[in-house]
Every structure is written in structure tokens, then in C-alpha cells.
Amino acid sequence: MTVGRRQPKQLVLAFFGEHVVDGDTGPIRASVLITVLEGAGVAAPATRATLDRLVRSGILARGRSGRETLFSLTEHGAAVLREATYRVRGPRPFDPQGSGWTLVTFSIPEEQRTLRHRLRSTLTWEGFAPIRDGLWLAPGEVDLAGSLEPLRQDLAPHPVVAFHARELAGFPIGDSVRAAWDIEAIRREHLAFIDRWADPAATTAAAGALTLRTMLVADWLALLRADPRLPAEFMDAQWPAARSAQTYRMAHRALAEASTAEFAALVTHRPTVSRRTAPAARPS
């Protein structure tokens, strides 16, 4: 399950998305990030390597104040995290966005592999899955223009073609849906999330509230990515998505006050930054 495979990148992005992107905290000291991730079982060298990669990809910018290394979100990084905010904090994160289906196909040269990866990652977050011959399918009416905005500067004119469609009589879409998404695997992701975070002890562990909240949000982001928001007719009455949402909100409330206080204490000292410009390459 996702909660057993947390990657340092997931945790760093969860930390910045939860505590930094909407605030005025200033740059975050590397020592703060190392401490938070160590509580989640990530060794300091792995955290430093992850921060280096996020700087190279244009998500974070590095600066210095004396002997301290500092990290802040770039404009691109902030845009990527804000784009995810609506679903992360939304009231019905597993409901389809409207009716019907959105179809997408795209053409990006093979030599632009990084851009292809970024586009596929964005489509996956929006609930798309490939069904055949470069054709991607997502439930509902996806706001594709909004979701692709962070990539707009790097995309050539008109590389993506998209349609909104509905199922035709005599051509049931059920087989395509079951081929594109492993519905039972999605169920297992939900159940594992519930099993991990519904236990009250999960929010009182020794790791500290700030680390626990970062772990919770990282797990929540992974679950949102795993669940494409399929229409209810493809699931049974015991589908656990509503329980997952309730579990997340309860755990988040349990951790909010203590983690906010812990974060404020860690970032009280706000040094003057000598900031280096982030690189031009900007994969998400």
C-alpha cells in the first residue's frame, strides 16, 4: 500500500503544500526539513538528495544565510501545489467532475522525455489512464486547461487534443473502464489508508505532530492520485471512498493545532536570504 512506500519527494511536497504555499513563512531551513523527514524514517542524505533534485527540476529554489541552507518554492513550484489544492481540500474529492468522459491524445517528440513524463504525471493526477494507442480517458469533464497551465510555457502550440464524450448505446464503456483501471487495487489503497489513519494512535505517535501531519498529507496525495473518481455505477455499495475522506478529515483535525504550533516554533527564526536563481528546466 502507498502508506508503506512514502518517498522523500512526496513528503517534501506535502510539507510545502500544507504549510508553506499559502503562507508568508519565508524560506525553510534545510535543518527543519531534515528533522521532519527523519521523523518519517527518511535519512538526512536522502532528504538532501531529494531537495537537490527539486531544485534542479525548478520546484524549489536554494539560498543561503551564513552556514544555513534555505529552500523556498519557485513560482512554478507554487503553481503546481496550488493546482492540487482544490482536490486536496475539497468536500468531495472522489466524485467525478461532471458527467460523461474526457478523452485526450497528445504528441510530444521522443527527445522531450522529461516533458512527456510531466504531461503524463499531470494527466494521471487528473484521473486519466491510457486505454489504447495513445488515447487517454478520464471520468467527467476535466478542466484540462487549468491542469495544464503549469506546463503551458514548455508545450509547443497545440500538442494536446481533447474531447468531451458520452457513452453511445450499443457501445458500453464498462470493459474499457475495467481495462484502464484496476478497481480492486484502488479499493485496497482506500482500505490501507483507512487502516493506517483511522486508529487514534496514528495521530499520537512519537514522531511529532508536524511529521505526522506531513505523513498524513503525503498519504492523502497518493490516494487522490490512485483514485480517478470513477462514476458510482462502477463501484459497489461498500466502496470505501467516503470513509477515506472522513478518516482524513478527522486525522487532520486531530493534528492541526499541535502541528501548526510546532511549525511556527521551527520557522520563527527567519534569516535574510541570498537566493540563487532556479534553473530553466521546470518539470513537475
Side-chain angles (χ1 to χ4, degrees), residues 188-201:
R188 291 192 295 271
E189 294 284 325
H190 278 285
L191 294 177
F193 180 87
I194 294 166
D195 184 63
R196 171 66 178 86
W197 290 105
D199 184 354

Side-chain angles (χ1 to χ4, degrees), residues 247-269:
T247 297
Y248 172 73
R249 292 175 188 129
M250 290 179 63
H252 195 276
R253 284 196 298 269
L255 292 165
E257 183 176 354
S259 63
T260 298
E262 187 179 339
F263 176 79
L266 285 171
V267 301
T268 296
H269 175 58

Side-chain angles (χ1 to χ4, degrees), residues 24-32 64-70 262-273:
D24 184 26
T25 60
I28 303 298
R29 301 193 307 277
S31 57
V32 171
R64 294 197 67 84
S65 177
R67 299 178 63 182
E68 284 275 12
T69 303
L70 309 171
E262 187 179 339
F263 176 79
L266 285 171
V267 301
T268 296
H269 175 58
R270 295 174 58 179
T272 303
V273 187

